[in-house]
Amino acid sequence: MSTHRLKRRKPWHVAVVTAAATAIAAPAAATATQAPPASTPIPTPARSAGAVGAYDDTYYRDALGKTGPELKEALHTIVSDQTRLTYDQVWDALKATDEDPENPSNVILLYSGRSQSKDGNGTGDDDWNREHVWAKSHGDFGTDVGPGTDLHHLRPTDVTVNSRRGNKDFDTGGEEVEEAPGNRADSDSFEPRDEVKGDVARMILYMAVRYDGGDGVPDLEPDDSVDNGSAPRIGRLSVLRQWNKQDPPDEFERKRNQTVFDEFQHNRNPFIDHPEWVDDMYSTYA
């Protein structure tokens, strides 16, 4: 098992990744073949992947200029047009979305930052497994196709660290996690390392936009409390908003968003493309 640790670089410290080609084909492994609607053509390769505004004339055009509930409703409609994977298919998908840019045989583990062999997934203490950043017990959606298999919040993590996080809400404080320095946990909350605080915030808020109670799935909403139990709630929203500002999208996160869009689900996390929309949507919170 490699012990290489990747120092995540912030935007523009590495070459930007070329944007999606004009045509997108769903992978053969996907359970649906739904492609983005013909009315929203994909930008040409001349546009930079994840660059602010790159998809405003097409993908996000119905959300521009909106705030609050209207923005949330518009984004829900946009991101709900997606291809869905099974939970088994997530294993291979994560090997592509979270690939170590310095070692294509490895993936980067979310909380520890460790670079580990793609083949090192499993149930052993030092293996990596699939972390539901929006804990699947918060809404009791399990691993069913839908919120339980959505790549925008599923990440590879060390098995032991995943267990330490459990289904805790996100907040600051606690004791440092032994196998993942920089992360902290207490009895009712988990604080990720600084390098991925914004990633966590944007994943949580994507889930709240994407899953609103339709199609037999729970209505997921962030709140400003912890210890939410099995309710379809997760917090703290005020802290997540701070983390979104503190840790803006970096090149790894942007490339991941593009890979999910190009190769698997064909939808995007809008808060990676437009992190300012977090405050536009949740401005009533401190």
Side-chain angles (χ1 to χ4, degrees):
M1 176 181 64
S2 170
T3 57
H4 169 71
R5 294 179 183 272
L6 175 71
K7 182 177 181 181
R8 298 182 66 186
R9 290 173 270 191
K10 293 297 176 183
W12 318 120
H13 287 194
V14 295
V16 294
V17 181
T18 305
T22 54
I24 292 177
T31 57
T33 57
Q34 182 179 9
S39 60
T40 57
I42 307 305
T44 66
R47 308 301 290 269
S48 296
V52 173
Y55 289 87
D56 286 358
D57 295 338
T58 54
Y59 191 73
Y60 292 124
R61 65 185 177 211
D62 292 336
L64 299 182
K66 296 178 180 178
T67 60
E70 289 186 350
L71 176 59
K72 183 179 180 183
E73 182 178 355
L75 291 177
H76 169 74
T77 299
I78 292 168
V79 303
S80 294
D81 184 11
Q82 70 177 102
T83 295
R84 300 182 180 189
L85 306 181
T86 69
Y87 198 47
D88 284 342
Q89 291 162 357
V90 167
W91 282 122
D92 287 335
L94 291 179
K95 294 176 183 180
T97 59
D98 291 75
E99 181 178 285
D100 182 347
E102 296 182 4
N103 185 349
S105 296
N106 287 10
V107 291
I108 299 296
L109 308 189
L110 175 65
Y111 298 130
S112 64
R114 188 171 76 238
S115 179
Q116 182 159 326
S117 170
K118 291 178 178 179
D119 295 329
N121 57 304
T123 59
D125 287 347
D126 292 322
D127 290 338
W128 65 267
N129 61 4
R130 298 160 292 185
E131 154 79 330
H132 290 80
V133 177
W134 185 295
K136 58 183 180 290
S137 63
H138 289 237
D140 194 27
F141 53 76
T143 59
D144 294 339
V145 172
T149 64
D150 197 308
L151 289 173
H152 282 299
H153 87 118
L154 284 163
R155 300 292 293 269
T157 57
D158 177 270
V159 168
T160 304
V161 178
N162 191 345
S163 178
R164 185 74 174 92
R165 187 262 161 139
N167 65 352
K168 295 179 176 69
D169 294 81
F170 292 102
D171 199 359
T172 57
E175 297 182 356
E176 191 166 61
V177 177
E178 183 177 354
E179 291 197 36
N183 298 264
R184 297 182 177 277
D186 57 24
S187 62
D188 58 15
S189 69
F190 188 87
E191 178 182 356
R193 60 193 175 103
D194 289 347
E195 293 85 350
V196 296
K197 279 183 165 67
D199 306 50
V200 166
R202 289 180 283 273
M203 285 186 277
I204 291 296
L205 297 177
Y206 160 85
M207 292 292 284
V209 164
R210 171 61 186 88
Y211 299 101
D212 68 349
D215 299 326
V217 300
D219 182 5
L220 305 182
E221 289 293 344
D223 61 17
D224 214 36
S225 62
V226 294
D227 201 15
N228 277 289
S230 62
R233 303 287 180 265
I234 204 164
R236 296 185 184 267
L237 178 56
S238 59
V239 172
L240 295 173
R241 288 183 63 197
Q242 293 170 11
W243 290 351
N244 175 59
K245 295 177 182 178
Q246 174 184 334
D247 174 41
D250 62 15
E251 191 59 28
F252 186 92
E253 189 181 2
R254 292 178 187 274
K255 184 177 183 297
R256 187 181 196 280
N257 195 29
Q258 193 69 37
T259 301
V260 174
F261 181 62
D262 288 345
E263 300 182 21
F264 298 103
Q265 294 185 180
H266 309 310
N267 70 341
R268 305 182 69 82
N269 181 334
F271 303 113
I272 297 174
D273 295 324
H274 282 281
E276 74 278 7
W277 279 346
V278 172
D279 282 347
D280 289 345
M281 189 175 300
Y282 296 106
S283 59
T284 58
Y285 288 82

